[in-house]
Amino acid sequence: MKTFIYMVRHGESPKTEGDERTRGLTEKGRSDARIITQLLKDERIDAFISSPYKRAMATIEELAQSAGKEIVVLEELRELVFIGNNQIMADRELYPLVKKMFNEPDFSLPGGESIAICRNRVVRTFRNILQQYRGQKVAIGTHGAVMTLMMGYFDSQYDLDFLLTTSKPDIYKMEFQDEVLVETKRLWRN
């Protein structure tokens, strides 16, 4: 039975307000979310699931509303916790850290989690989604690192190099036959 998962990486988000959980979208991020709605509205998506982070939910919110659906929020789909207390890290600090973490999967900063721990959390959750929503089309509001870890579980080409080429937002349509990944298509074009 075919199941389709639409990985929707969140749009551009300001790193100057709130914390990792509460920062929303920039004006460009909100504009891109409207484009996502237009791109995916005819896909007839059955269910919408999101990370609890505001920017991920906001990116798929209009799409879910246009389909008359609620967003199911799963704490387990939160972004990789890079450092404690939901602190925002500047990109100039974050990108070298992400490279180190992918190269050393058990490494973590104080209060953060390792790639290995995060991968176990998100892959277990993703596999549960595949079982629970078997035969359906599901959009997942997500983040770059966790999206890469979930996709990489099924196909090793989705690794650090892949992550570094993704955009905010980004969309990948994954086709599964039961729990076997058959095909992945990028739907977002910058």
Side-chain angles (χ1 to χ4, degrees), residues 60-109:
I60 64 168
E61 185 173 41
E62 183 181 311
L63 178 61
Q65 288 173 349
S66 74
K69 306 283 185 177
E70 296 289 322
I71 297 173
V72 175
V73 177
L74 296 180
E75 178 64 31
E76 296 83 5
L77 292 178
R78 68 188 174 276
E79 176 60 297
L80 171 66
V81 178
F82 295 103
I83 192 167
N85 300 322
N86 294 313
Q87 295 175 59
I88 295 174
M89 292 184 74
D91 287 346
R92 69 182 182 283
E93 298 169 339
L94 187 59
Y95 291 126
L97 174 63
V98 169
K99 288 179 183 179
K100 179 177 177 64
M101 293 176 80
F102 269 83
N103 289 325
E104 300 175 37
D106 292 318
F107 172 81
S108 65
L109 290 176

Side-chain angles (χ1 to χ4, degrees), residues 31-46:
S31 174
D32 287 341
R34 290 188 288 276
I35 294 169
I36 288 168
T37 299
Q38 293 306 309
L39 278 172
L40 297 181
K41 70 179 182 180
D42 293 332
E43 293 286 322
R44 305 176 73 96
I45 295 172
D46 301 297

